[in-house]
Amino acid sequence: MLVHPSRLPGAPEIGGSPAAHGERGGRRFPPLDAPSLSDRSLAVAAAAGDRGAFDEIVRRFAPSMIRFAESMLADHGAAEDVVQDSLVVAWTRIGDFRHDSALRTWLFGITSHKVIDHRRRRVPRPGSDHVEDRACTDPRTDPPRTCSDAAFLAAVYEVLGTMPPRQRACWVLREVDGMRVVDVADIMSMTPGAVRGQIARARATLEARLDAWT
């Protein structure tokens, strides 16, 4: 379960000079209609120290951040840990976000670096396939169709697991999260042309390996 980074033991508070919306840190903020605010407005409010604004950022982006991290690590628990670490970084550095890119791109860039750090520290454990297992055993679903879809999804992720990390990340960000190539390039610190090449190779691999499913 993800919690607000400022509530984690030992997590640093936002600090610094006064911002346009008041002192950062312990100031109490009036309630925001956070769901109606743009990403930019939320980032500005969070940079001023508004926890409610950052809670909305977490609500909007954490699920896709976890999905991305899990696709890279094949471990749901590790993905949640990586995203929690990423949110701590985002909370402490939100005042440095300059809006040169989309907030989502900035958050995914942090997550990508945390994924790399995690992969360097340990060999990822095999995935639990918790989504596929639950889908196939849920009596409220149509078992034959659901299990067929789940098996195909498992096959996709098995092929993705054989790809180089950058290639897999580019494909997931583009095809699963629907990001623009330029945003993927920003997240991965690559040129758009290099991203297109990685995606093309990933697509070719998937088409060749999943031919039996078509």
Side-chain angles (χ1 to χ4, degrees), residues 15-35:
S17 59
H21 293 270
E23 288 284 336
R24 297 177 183 178
R27 178 182 173 182
R28 300 179 69 87
F29 288 81
L32 288 174
D33 183 16

Side-chain angles (χ1 to χ4, degrees), residues 34-39 42 55-64:
S36 68
L37 295 180
S38 67
D39 295 346
L42 287 173
D55 285 342
E56 176 63 17
I57 290 173
V58 172
R59 187 195 68 78
R60 286 186 189 182
F61 298 109
S64 57

Side-chain angles (χ1 to χ4, degrees), residues 38-87:
S38 67
D39 295 346
R40 182 185 182 90
S41 296
L42 287 173
V44 169
D50 192 319
R51 294 182 179 182
F54 197 83
D55 285 342
E56 176 63 17
I57 290 173
V58 172
R59 187 195 68 78
R60 286 186 189 182
F61 298 109
S64 57
M65 291 164 68
I66 291 175
R67 184 172 62 244
F68 168 65
E70 186 171 4
S71 72
M72 298 301 297
L73 299 172
D75 185 325
H76 184 73
E80 285 196 330
D81 290 343
V82 161
V83 171
Q84 184 71 75
D85 290 346
S86 300
L87 292 172

Side-chain angles (χ1 to χ4, degrees), residues 83-143:
V83 171
Q84 184 71 75
D85 290 346
S86 300
L87 292 172
V88 169
V89 172
W91 172 244
T92 57
R93 296 183 184 172
I94 190 72
D96 299 327
F97 176 53
R98 299 306 177 198
H99 308 277
D100 296 330
S101 60
L103 179 60
R104 181 175 71 159
T105 302
W106 184 70
L107 291 169
F108 269 74
I110 296 172
T111 306
S112 177
H113 283 93
K114 287 296 180 181
V115 165
I116 292 172
D117 289 344
H118 181 89
R119 291 175 65 91
R120 286 173 177 167
R121 288 197 305 268
R122 67 186 71 177
V123 177
R125 298 188 301 273
S128 63
D129 289 337
H130 62 284
V131 175
E132 291 80 6
D133 288 346
R134 183 173 63 246
C136 285
T137 57
D138 189 344
R140 295 170 297 179
T141 64
D142 175 14

